[in-house]
Amino acid sequence: MNILDTKYRNILTKVFCLTILSCFTLSSCEDYLDQLPQDVVSEVIYYQTPEQFTTASNYFYTRLGFFDGDEQSDLSNNMGDENNYAHGNTIVPTTDPVWNDNYSSLRPINQLIEKAEEYSGEPADIEVPVATAHFFRAWHYYLLLRRYGGVPIVTRALEVTSEELYGSRNSRYEVVDQMLKDLDVAISGLPSHNALSAEDQGKLTLEAAKSFKARVLLYEATWEKYVGSATDGDGTTVGAGSAKPSGYPGVTEMLTEAKQQALEVMNSGAYELWDYREEIGEDHLFYLFNLEEGGSNPAGLTKADNKEFIFQTVYDFNYRKINQNLTHAKPHTPTRKLMDMYLCTDGLPVQFSADFEGYSTMTSEFQNRDLRLKGLVKEPLEEYWGWGAATQGGGAQYGTDFDESGIEFDYRYVPQLVSPGNPRNIGYQGRKFTTEHRLRETREESYNYPLLRYAEVLLIYAEATCELGEGSISDADLDMSINKIRERSGVAPLTNALIAPYGDLSMLGEIHRERAIELFGEDFRFDDLKRWNIAPEELNNNVCVNYIEGTEFETAENPLNPGTKIFAEGVWPYGLTTTEQSVSSYAGIANHKPGALIIDAAGNRSFKLQNYLDPIPKNQLDINENLLQNPGW
């Protein structure tokens, strides 16, 4: 076993033993507005030694999870239940775990920071756990900010008599200001990844804090540029208001700093993009997102071979399985829109590329395309391993041909186009965050989940640079950032000359495209559409999948079920598109042509500015009359 994998497991063992201890020393009620004093053990005995501070800071990692986002968006054909978020039909909830869990997580963080101020030993001895606490405080406020906008800022461990329990909301600008201050402390106190010991692999680094600060700055700069104060409310009768702290940075200042923080991470040499095409082949990107020990991929790679994940939720088959219905559900499955957003190998979109082979056969649209499409979406009639002992023929037998697996099973993938009853994986089927491991059943997957990865840093650099350039970016800056991602995806570089002949294409639009493709399924899409203030234009359209009319799908028989067709007519409530339809505010995204299967109609979707922020849960408003609801709710 690789030594780094062993160290990951050692950290997990320590962290999850600590979880048991936390029931006594770091416990907190789930409801922020109903918290009890800490147990006396924590107050009197704990936080006396550097080791105790470190152990306490390890607990914060246990609150990280598998976020698994982007379902129900314009790019995902997994519609979910009838309460589809993209429909814009959210109601005010009685309670909300996002509110409860994040404020619950903040209490032990604030306690560690407070105890550090009382610590009588050498401050340098507890610098890393204190920096870790400041990072996690910013992390939890970011999760609150993106959901609600401004929220009450709490920077100390509260008692039942604390006045903050009944305080008003701080503005989003005050929350961001607090986050940036916390991240500056984290940056000053965390070690570089380059200096991290094997024992501490998997913990926070200086580069993680810089990457996260770059994300926060880009998020808030573009929100302020494109959304402005439209969701703030007046802070008196509704919303959190627009109060800005003294010295709060402007849009240009935030974009400049985001670019600089990203550049420093890029120049650090601490991380690199995953690229194992030589070892694995064209579907090497599939294995980035299901990497466990050597049995999880044909090259025998382990988590230690992944230099791209900067900050991650660490899972392990023995100590902490993901325990979600991932491989069975295949949640990250593309729509027609996303399928057409993937570029051709010449670097151009399908509507302009001479390399694009059209839609006439079931497999033609997969030819000469981005390796992210080839690796993360199943191609009709191709053979794919199942997983576990016997599901879909069982897991991968690397080095063995499918017809020599010893199992009587037809491994070919045939698209599901016969029933709208299951709202998942209609027409296309995604592979991202799924396993083909022979020893993994559903809910036993144990690959790490990326919370920050190097590809995002490169995208942040490109977007911030282009925003600062008012839509312009040099080829040199593109080569430093996005073109590294495109190169490992088998796509020609993005250059100013490449898109110049096409009036529908713009640099900012192409950067947005790259971000959508690269980060699909990692919980970015809704936030990106909101901060760019284009969510209604992108979400309120027909959601479509395969072209049926005039293609092989219209008449093809199902080879797995002779005598039946792959596509069933007359069962689809919304039918096929009958006219050419724009699906994006960016003209560079291909329109839907007639003949595409509609799985969710535009008439169902009414996402609007009100939906940019979620409502404060009702129980919090009932407890604290000083909390004001967000506009429109």
Side-chain angles (χ1 to χ4, degrees):
M1 179 183 294
N2 189 296
I3 187 172
L4 293 183
D5 291 327
T6 304
K7 296 305 182 183
Y8 270 130
R9 294 188 179 190
N10 288 343
I11 289 173
L12 275 168
T13 304
K14 294 175 183 177
V15 166
F16 286 94
C17 285
L18 176 64
T19 303
I20 304 300
L21 177 64
S22 72
C23 295
F24 301 98
T25 61
L26 295 168
S27 62
S28 61
C29 294
E30 286 300 305
D31 193 331
Y32 148 64
L33 292 176
D34 189 28
Q35 295 197 39
L36 298 174
Q38 289 292 328
D39 190 282
V40 68
V41 174
S42 172
E43 298 290 342
V44 177
I45 299 176
Y46 220 65
Y47 299 108
Q48 300 299 308
T49 69
E51 291 75 20
Q52 289 174 333
F53 275 90
T54 298
T55 302
S57 69
N58 286 344
Y59 167 72
F60 306 148
Y61 293 91
T62 70
R63 307 310 296 266
L64 301 173
F66 197 101
F67 287 91
D68 193 30
D70 299 346
E71 284 192 274
Q72 307 175 359
S73 76
D74 56 324
L75 306 183
S76 170
N77 82 16
N78 288 338
M79 292 296 101
D81 58 28
E82 61 184 14
N83 297 315
N84 190 319
Y85 179 71
H87 286 176
N89 58 7
T90 301
I91 61 173
V92 179
T94 300
T95 63
D96 189 342
V98 173
W99 182 283
N100 296 343
D101 292 351
N102 282 289
Y103 275 113
S104 174
S105 296
L106 283 166
R107 191 180 199 283
I109 290 168
N110 286 333
Q111 185 180 69
L112 188 152
I113 293 171
E114 285 185 296
K115 292 301 179 182
E117 295 173 354
E118 302 171 5
Y119 180 63
S120 59
E122 181 61 41
D125 292 341
I126 60 170
E127 184 177 37
V128 172
V130 171
T132 299
H134 281 276
F135 178 96
F136 274 101
R137 186 158 70 183
W139 183 264
H140 289 291
Y141 273 117
Y142 178 69
L143 297 179
L144 290 164
L145 174 79
R146 64 202 283 260
R147 190 164 182 102
Y148 308 111
V151 292
I153 295 175
V154 180
T155 57
R156 65 189 184 99
L158 302 183
E159 310 295 343
V160 292
T161 57
S162 298
E163 61 182 17
E164 291 95 330
L165 293 172
Y166 304 99
S168 59
R169 295 170 66 183
N170 292 90
S171 72
R172 67 178 302 117
Y173 315 99
E174 291 169 327
V175 174
V176 171
D177 184 67
Q178 178 61 50
M179 291 164 60
L180 296 178
K181 289 175 180 175
D182 279 327
L183 288 172
D184 284 341
V185 175
I187 288 169
S188 68
L190 288 170
S192 170
H193 177 80
N194 298 320
L196 212 61
S197 68
E199 179 72 21
D200 286 333
Q201 290 295 322
K203 289 189 176 182
L204 283 167
T205 65
L206 164 68
E207 291 81 16
K210 289 183 175 182
S211 299
F212 185 42
K213 186 177 182 182
R215 176 194 288 182
V216 170
L217 288 162
L218 179 67
Y219 176 88
E220 195 58 21
T222 49
W223 186 288
E224 187 164 347
K225 180 175 181 178
Y226 294 111
V227 181
S229 61
T231 59
D232 291 349
D234 59 18
T236 301
T237 60
V238 68
S242 301
K244 289 186 177 180
S246 176
Y248 187 77
V251 170
T252 298
E253 188 177 350
M254 284 190 282
L255 290 170
T256 301
E257 182 66 10
K259 176 180 177 179
Q260 180 61 32
Q261 293 295 325
L263 181 62
E264 290 178 13
V265 176
M266 292 157 62
N267 288 339
S268 71
Y271 301 95
E272 60 188 47
L273 291 178
W274 167 277
D275 193 344
Y276 285 94
R277 280 173 292 178
E278 291 187 8
E279 293 84 353
I280 296 177
E282 286 191 341
D283 60 349
H284 75 111
L285 288 167
F286 167 62
Y287 297 101
L288 170 61
F289 300 105
N290 69 357
L291 190 65
E292 295 194 48
E293 34 67 43
S296 65
N297 61 90
L301 301 168
T302 72
K303 292 180 180 181
D305 294 298
N306 176 10
K307 306 299 193 300
E308 182 166 335
F309 288 7
I310 297 173
F311 179 46
Q312 56 199 306
T313 306
V314 177
Y315 292 99
D316 183 88
F317 181 69
N318 296 306
Y319 299 105
R320 188 193 188 193
K321 300 178 182 70
I322 297 173
N323 199 29
Q324 292 189 29
N325 193 21
L326 289 172
T327 305
H328 177 76
K330 301 172 181 64
H332 305 308
T333 294
T335 59
R336 166 83 275 134
K337 179 177 180 179
L338 179 56
M339 288 293 290
D340 286 337
M341 288 174 71
Y342 285 106
L343 297 168
C344 297
T345 50
D346 61 5
L348 292 172
V350 295
Q351 70 271 35
F352 298 130
S353 175
D355 290 345
F356 184 56
E357 296 195 4
Y359 310 98
S360 60
T361 72
M362 290 189 288
T363 62
S364 54
E365 66 176 306
F366 286 82
Q367 308 312 308
N368 305 322
R369 301 294 295 278
D370 189 319
L371 295 183
R372 289 168 290 191
L373 171 59
K374 298 281 287 186
L376 300 177
V377 182
K378 286 189 176 180
E379 183 175 345
L381 306 186
E382 281 289 307
E383 294 176 303
Y384 296 92
W385 297 112
W387 71 95
T391 307
Q392 296 177 1
Q397 300 180 42
Y398 298 120
T400 302
D401 292 336
F402 287 95
D403 59 2
E404 296 178 356
S405 68
I407 299 172
E408 292 187 8
F409 183 81
D410 193 329
Y411 290 92
R412 287 178 294 177
Y413 161 68
V414 174
Q416 195 287 96
L417 288 165
V418 296
S419 173
N422 185 346
R424 291 181 177 274
N425 302 304
I426 295 173
Y428 298 108
Q429 190 171 101
R431 301 177 72 202
K432 192 170 186 177
F433 294 118
T434 66
T435 189
E436 60 184 19
H437 201 303
R438 296 190 72 186
L439 303 179
R440 299 293 184 268
E441 305 295 345
T442 291
R443 297 188 177 276
E444 292 184 347
E445 299 95 337
S446 306
Y447 25 87
N448 292 356
Y449 181 77
L451 300 167
L452 291 163
R453 63 183 176 97
Y454 189 53
E456 185 199 350
V457 173
L458 298 178
L459 289 163
I460 290 171
Y461 178 86
E463 185 179 346
T465 301
C466 196
E467 286 283 3
L468 288 166
E470 297 296 327
S472 297
I473 182 172
S474 70
D475 288 351
D477 279 320
L478 291 168
D479 287 343
M480 289 172 56
S481 53
I482 274 183
N483 285 336
K484 293 182 182 296
I485 300 172
R486 287 166 71 118
E487 195 279 330
R488 68 103 173 254
S489 302
V491 174
L494 176 62
T495 66
N496 284 277
L498 178 70
I499 68 171
Y502 306 99
D504 286 345
L505 303 183
S506 70
M507 275 300 175
L508 194 57
E510 291 306 296
I511 291 169
H512 288 181
R513 181 204 301 273
E514 286 292 334
R515 186 175 173 91
I517 292 170
E518 179 64 29
L519 301 178
F520 174 60
E522 297 179 47
D523 201 26
F524 287 95
R525 184 60 175 173
F526 284 107
D527 286 338
D528 284 346
L529 296 181
K530 292 173 188 177
R531 68 184 177 89
W532 297 330
N533 201 11
I534 57 173
E537 293 86 349
E538 303 297 315
L539 295 172
N540 295 338
N541 301 300
N542 288 331
V543 177
C544 300
V545 286
N546 308 68
Y547 282 116
I548 305 296
E549 190 174 37
T551 76
E552 187 179 4
F553 282 114
E554 193 170 20
T555 58
E557 288 197 358
N558 185 343
L560 304 184
N561 190 8
T564 66
K565 290 186 176 182
I566 287 181
F567 172 71
E569 296 184 71
V571 301
W572 302 95
Y574 306 118
L576 307 179
T577 55
T578 57
T579 61
E580 184 165 321
Q581 302 170 356
S582 171
V583 292
S584 176
S585 58
Y586 175 44
I589 306 299
N591 292 341
H592 287 356
K593 300 186 231 180
L597 178 62
I598 304 170
I599 60 171
D600 194 29
N604 296 332
R605 296 179 159 235
S606 182
F607 200 91
K608 46 195 175 294
L609 184 67
Q610 172 187 338
N611 299 106
Y612 282 26
L613 298 179
D614 276 22
I616 305 296
K618 186 176 184 299
N619 70 323
Q620 301 302 324
L621 300 175
D622 291 342
I623 293 170
N624 180 5
E625 63 181 11
N626 291 316
L627 287 179
L628 298 176
Q629 186 57 278
N630 277 323
W633 302 104

